Amino acid sequence: MTATVALILGSCLILGSLGKPSFPEQEKDPKFWNTWAQQTLKNALGLQTLNQNKANNLIFFLGDGMGVPTVTAARILKGQLSGQSGEEGQLEMDKFPFVSLAKTYNTNAQVADSAGTATAFLCGVKANEGTVGVSAAAVRSQCNSTKGNEVTSILKWAKDAGKSVGIVTTTRVNHATPSASYAHSVDRDWFSDAEMPAEALQDGCKDIARQLFENIPNIDVILGGGRKYMFPKNQSDVEYPNIAKHSGTRKDGRNLVAEWTEKMKDSKGHYVWNKQQLVTLNANNVDYLLGLFEPGDMTYDLERNSETDPSLTEMVDVAIKILKKNPNGFYLLVEGGRIDHGHHEGKAKQALYEAVEMDRAIQRAGLLTSVHDTLTIVTADHSHVFNFGGYTHRGNPIFGLAPAVSDVDQKPFTAILYGNGPGYKLVNGGRENVSTYNYQENNYQAQAAVPLSSETHGGEDVAVFAKGPMAHLLHGVHEQNYIPHVMAYASCIGQNRQHCLQHNQASSLRPTLSSTAALLAAIKLLF
């Protein structure tokens, strides 16, 4: 292992000292690759001893829209940010020992949306696009198809089992992914009652923000955006008091934050809305935490005010420190939700920096927990029509140009391209010349083949990375709804718990056998 590390570090040093060589000098020597491969083989052989412990803790990282091309590009970006060429680097998720693929289609869609997929990977049931926390028998936007078709999530299974539970997201806390944890809504866009049709309200359907506080009482940690959906219509926002679009939206006049605060005042409950309030909390004095840091989605990490807005990593840090106090363990959903938004806008730089920040959060979670009792899964809900290519050289800046111009229109092109989206532009009847633009600017929209105001999702399988107890159950290619069943099995919650009794009985034998062995050893010493 030491030799391998030395070789890799040596490569990085050479790369840093010579600027941007085509590839590190060590890579010319077959010994470099053979040593690396042999060490990898040794590590793989060690996985034959499977971790079959009970997972006391469950952490689920969801990179919204983080398809395999995004993972690869984020890896290169992370390496280049640290002065390497990037391709040889590792994301934290790359270090997970088990990787599988998940099929992302919805019951009524070949290319999925984030609501139907969230229902699959949180509730264990495939569903229609645009619906959260309901089965495929429910019809989108048809309120009267809700009743009787509700399905519950692994967050609820964990809460019912006595675990602490939390939700951390860079989107609104009532956005598609987090809402499938607690809501039953036939329309993912019913953020507050202001977004609901009168007929749905008359038929008794509840908005998603309201369900956050009513469906699963006492969710321990809730961190993200979405403030405006919690306050009465036209009530000024605490952070943006003079901007009307950030004011409260609720037509029912309820102040859900005030209601929560009053309910939790004697239960070590705290409400925060900025970074300073969050990071100065003492986890030992907090049992319940509600943090709403923006009226809508949180800002992109590239644009984040590091003085006032917490990063995803900082939110995860606080969440785990609060949740891990429970001896029964915890379940935490973490969403890097704005990866998806960056891609939809054709802004690859925003999307990839969001993915790198989520990887930092994964690293932080790993430092705060143990692989022996914590099952951690990282995956995506769906992909995007995002890719990069063009025969770029080793170490080519991930946001840079391909090395050659097009042999058709003789114009340069960036390595990153989209299959469709807002980056489609014609100039004088032809493709725009990207060299006349600052294509490395944060909000540059990469060229797209088909003009659309919003780039679309991709339909291919997504990767599922797993480590910890029972992680080996994620292997091969599976339906997306399989994931929460694995997590529940590993932690002895939900419907399949027969093995837990056997596991407990086996575990209870260990101290006895250990004590007996110690007694026999002592007797042997005496005689």
Side-chain angles (χ1 to χ4, degrees), residues 274-275 278 293 298 304-305 308-312 314-315:
N274 61 53
K275 175 179 174 176
L278 178 72
F293 304 104
M298 297 184 69
R304 180 173 61 86
N305 183 328
T308 60
D309 300 329
S311 67
L312 181 62
E314 289 164 339
M315 290 193 290

Side-chain angles (χ1 to χ4, degrees), residues 131 311 315 343 346 373 405 523:
T131 65
S311 67
M315 290 193 290
H343 282 321
D373 67 356
V405 298
I523 293 171

Side-chain angles (χ1 to χ4, degrees), residues 291-310:
L292 302 173
F293 304 104
E294 286 292 328
D297 300 319
M298 297 184 69
T299 56
Y300 285 121
D301 197 64
L302 268 175
E303 299 171 353
R304 180 173 61 86
N305 183 328
S306 60
E307 297 297 318
T308 60
D309 300 329

Side-chain angles (χ1 to χ4, degrees), residues 47 51 55 57-59 61 92-93 95-99 362-378 464-472 474 487 490:
L47 296 177
N51 183 345
N57 309 315
L58 301 168
I59 305 178
F61 279 94
E92 287 302 311
M93 64 188 90
K95 301 172 186 177
F96 286 25
F98 296 96
V99 182
I362 294 168
Q363 180 183 39
R364 184 60 186 154
L367 292 172
L368 291 171
T369 56
S370 168
V371 72
H372 298 295
D373 67 356
T374 302
L375 172 61
T376 304
I377 293 174
V378 181
V464 185
F465 305 85
K467 70 173 181 178
M470 299 295 175
H472 58 279
L474 287 159
M487 300 187 82

Side-chain angles (χ1 to χ4, degrees), residues 247-436:
S247 297
T249 66
R250 301 197 65 80
K251 290 183 176 180
D252 59 10
R254 292 178 63 178
N255 183 328
L256 299 179
V257 171
E259 292 177 17
W260 183 91
T261 303
E262 175 64 23
K263 178 184 176 183
M264 295 298 181
K265 66 181 181 180
D266 297 323
S267 303
K268 293 186 178 180
H270 293 259
Y271 168 66
V272 297
W273 61 269
N274 61 53
K275 175 179 174 176
Q276 185 65 17
Q277 294 173 342
L278 178 72
V279 299
T280 55
L281 288 172
N282 183 340
N284 293 325
N285 298 326
V286 180
D287 288 341
Y288 298 96
L289 177 61
L290 173 63
L292 302 173
F293 304 104
E294 286 292 328
D297 300 319
M298 297 184 69
T299 56
Y300 285 121
D301 197 64
L302 268 175
E303 299 171 353
R304 180 173 61 86
N305 183 328
S306 60
E307 297 297 318
T308 60
D309 300 329
S311 67
L312 181 62
T313 302
E314 289 164 339
M315 290 193 290
V316 166
D317 179 86
V318 174
I320 292 178
K321 286 176 179 176
I322 293 171
L323 297 174
K324 69 188 297 188
K325 295 188 299 179
N326 187 342
N328 292 324
F330 66 84
Y331 167 85
L332 176 62
L333 166 66
V334 181
E335 183 196 19
R338 304 221 64 194
I339 301 169
D340 178 71
H341 296 171
H343 282 321
H344 278 307
E345 295 174 1
K347 299 175 181 177
K349 192 166 187 177
Q350 298 285 11
L352 296 184
Y353 269 79
E354 291 294 307
V356 171
E357 171 56 27
M358 192 180 85
D359 202 62
R360 294 191 192 100
I362 294 168
Q363 180 183 39
R364 184 60 186 154
L367 292 172
L368 291 171
T369 56
S370 168
V371 72
H372 298 295
D373 67 356
T374 302
L375 172 61
T376 304
I377 293 174
V378 181
T379 188
D381 46 357
H382 54 73
S383 186
H384 276 266
V385 290
F386 159 88
N387 220 313
F388 66 99
Y391 301 114
T392 48
H393 301 305
R394 178 77 176 271
N396 193 72
I398 192 63
F399 303 114
L401 295 174
V405 298
S406 166
D407 60 358
V408 176
D409 65 11
Q410 284 72 52
K411 294 176 183 176
F413 59 97
T414 54
I416 285 176
L417 296 168
Y418 286 94
N420 57 48
Y424 176 92
K425 294 181 181 69
L426 289 178
V427 178
N428 298 323
R431 185 172 64 90
E432 69 175 0
N433 189 332
V434 297
S435 64
T436 63

